[in-house]
Amino acid sequence: MRCLALADIAQERGWHAALVGDIDEVGSAVADRLSPQLEIVQSASLRRSRSATSVFADVEVVHLDSYSDLPFTIPRGLLVSNMQDGPFGVRPADLAVDGNLGAEFRFDQAELSAHQLVGADAAVVRNQVLRQRAIDPVESDRVRVLIVMGGTDPLGLTSRVLLALDSITVPLAVTVVDPNQSSDVRLIAARSAHRISVSGFVDDLPALAREHDLAVSAAGTSVWDFACMGVPMALLCAVDNQLAGYRTAVDAGLAIGLGTPPHRDLERRVAALAPLLGDRHALRRQRDRLMRVIDGLGGWRIVAAWEALISRRVKAIDARAEELTVRRARLDDASLLFEWRNDSVTRLNSRSTEVLDWESHQAWLAACVADSARLLLIAEHRGTPMATVRWDQKAGVDWEVSITMAPEYRGRGLSGAVLTAAERSLPASAPVRMLAVVHEANAASLALFARAGYLPHLPSNADGYESWARWQLPSPAAD
C-alpha cells in the first residue's frame, strides 16, 4: 500500500510508475482498482537478464519496500530509494526512509545512505486517507468502535477484543473487519450486548475508519492512516516488527496500548477503555492532536526528494569549510552585523526587507546572545569575518538556519563552506533536523541548500516561501 501511495503521487507529478514484486491476483486486482494507470511487473520476469534490461531501460528511480533480499540486480546509475522499518529492510541507498514515529532517535545504519527522511513527517499516506482527512466527522447516537487486525490475525486477537468489549457498559456500535470470516467472531457478535456488524475484506478502509470514534488495531502501517484522519486508536503489537512502532506511539500518547504478545491481560486492558469511550470531548481532543502529528505530506516529501536528487546524488561537502572558523557572536559585533543586515541585497532576499534602526538592532543582538534557543555565529576566514549564520531552535529537534554573507565575500561560491562549518556547531549527540526557509524565486539559495543535501520539506506557502530540511543523525559512536 505504501508503494501504491507513492506511485499515485509520482503519477500526479508527471512520472511514469511501475509496481514490481511477487504480486498475486488479489493484490493485482486491488492495485488496479486503486491505481488503474499503474503498470505491474512480476519479479519473476526480472530474474531473466534480458527482461530486466528492458524494464530498467528508461528508469531513473528504483524505490524498494521489502524486508527480503532482492530477486534481481539494480543496474548502476539509478537513484535507489529504500524504505526501512527500524532494523528491517535496511540496505545501501541514495535515499533511506524510515517513516516510523521517533525513528530519528533510533535510525538504523544511517551510514549506508547519503540522504535520509526520518520520523512521522516521512509517513506515507494514501490519497484515500487524505480525502477522508478533509471530511469533518459526524457524531452518532452511539460511540463507534472499529476492530481491524489486518489480513491473517494468527493470534485470534479480533475475537478476544470483541468479547472483551462486552464488559463496557457504554452503548457501542462496533464494526469488525474480519477477512478470515471467523466463526468465533460471528458467534460472539450475535451474542454481544452492543450493536455489532461484521464485514470481510474492506476495499476502502480509510472511509470506513473515518466513520468511527476509536479504532482498535494491530500496530501496522494503518496507524499513520488513522492518525492522519484523526481517528483515536487503541493498539496491539501483533508481530515482532511492530514492537518499536507500537511502543513509540503509546509512549508519545498517540494511542492507548493494549499490550504485546502473549497478551495475557488483553481483556483487562480493553475494559479499561471505558472512561475514554464515555468521554466524547476527550476523543475530539485526541483526534485534533493526531492530525497535527501526521500532516499527510510524507509521500510528497519522498517523491519531491527523488526529483531533487536526480541531478545531485552526493552532498557537496565544501572542503573550504576546513579553512573557516566559527564562533559565537558577541555584543561588540553589533556594528558589523548592522552593516551586513542593512545591505540592500541582503534585505532583498530576507523575509523582512525593511531597514533596521540602530537601537532596535542593539536590542535584537543582546536578546540573541542571551537566548539559549538561538545560536548566532560569525564565520571567519583567517581571522576576517565573512558571514553570519543564525540557528533558531523550533519545536523538538528542529533548527532553522539563516545565512548572511558579507557584501565583499558575496559571489565567490563560499556560502556552502559557511553552511558546512556552521552545521558542526549544532549538537552532535542527538538527532537534529536542519531547516531552511527560502523564497521560491531565490534560485541561488535554493541551489545552495540542494547542493548541501537538504530535501524538500514543505511546498511553497501563500507568500512563496518553501522549506527544505536535512537530518543530522547521531553516529553509532555517540550512542
Side-chain angles (χ1 to χ4, degrees), residues 145-148 158 162 174-178 185 189 196-200:
V145 177
L146 173 67
I147 302 175
V148 54
T158 301
L162 183 59
V174 182
T175 302
V176 183
V177 178
D178 180 26
V185 168
I196 311 291
S197 63
V198 181
S199 64

Side-chain angles (χ1 to χ4, degrees), residues 184-450:
D184 287 346
V185 168
R186 294 192 176 276
L187 180 62
I188 295 168
R191 297 176 176 176
S192 176
H194 300 299
R195 186 187 303 160
I196 311 291
S197 63
V198 181
S199 64
F201 177 80
V202 176
D203 197 25
D204 195 348
L205 180 61
L208 178 64
R210 187 60 164 160
E211 298 174 353
H212 291 77
D213 302 296
L214 179 76
V216 180
S217 176
T221 56
S222 60
V223 168
W224 310 128
D225 293 349
F226 295 153
C228 185
M229 293 185 293
V231 179
M233 292 169 281
L235 296 180
L236 303 100
C237 174
V239 292
D240 289 345
N241 67 343
Q242 296 175 352
L243 184 58
Y246 167 83
R247 287 176 173 167
T248 303
V250 172
D251 291 346
L254 300 184
I256 295 173
L258 297 182
T260 60
H263 297 289
R264 293 190 180 92
D265 60 347
L266 176 59
E267 287 71 19
R268 178 187 63 78
R269 288 177 180 249
V270 172
L273 295 173
L276 175 63
L277 293 173
D279 188 344
R280 290 185 182 268
H281 293 293
L283 288 168
R284 288 193 206 101
R285 288 194 299 271
Q286 182 67 352
R287 178 195 68 195
D288 294 340
R289 180 164 183 255
L290 291 171
M291 294 179 74
R292 289 194 299 271
V293 172
I294 305 295
D295 64 7
L297 290 173
W300 174 87
R301 292 185 178 101
I302 294 171
V303 177
W306 299 345
E307 295 169 348
L309 292 173
I310 285 296
S311 59
R312 297 187 179 93
R313 300 292 175 84
V314 181
K315 294 191 291 289
I317 304 301
D318 198 320
R320 290 174 294 180
E322 303 299 331
E323 302 174 9
L324 306 183
T325 57
V326 175
R327 63 170 174 81
R328 288 179 177 268
R330 305 183 297 260
L331 294 179
D332 60 9
D333 292 311
S335 296
L336 178 68
L337 296 175
F338 183 70
E339 177 185 345
W340 291 354
R341 176 58 183 80
N342 274 337
D343 175 74
S344 59
V345 176
T346 299
R347 287 188 289 107
L348 181 64
N349 290 315
S350 300
R351 273 181 274 186
S352 175
T353 59
E354 298 178 356
V355 176
L356 292 180
D357 66 84
W358 175 246
E359 290 185 359
S360 297
H361 173 72
Q362 285 185 304
W364 171 84
L365 179 57
C368 281
V369 171
D371 190 350
S372 61
R374 175 169 284 180
L375 188 59
L376 185 62
L377 306 171
I378 302 291
E380 297 181 337
H381 180 250
R382 298 177 181 175
T384 301
M386 59 178 295
T388 179
V389 179
R390 189 180 79 237
W391 293 104
D392 291 307
Q393 188 173 25
K394 303 298 182 181
V397 298
D398 290 348
W399 288 82
E400 184 179 329
V401 65
S402 176
I403 302 175
T404 300
M405 296 294 298
E408 59 269 27
Y409 280 93
R410 196 179 294 136
R412 299 188 187 182
L414 293 169
S415 55
V418 170
L419 177 60
T420 298
E423 288 175 347
R424 296 169 182 167
S425 298
L426 293 171
S429 59
V432 170
R433 181 167 54 188
M434 300 172 287
L435 300 174
V437 180
V438 184
H439 197 275
E440 59 190 8
N442 190 344
S445 290
L446 291 173
L448 161 67
F449 290 107

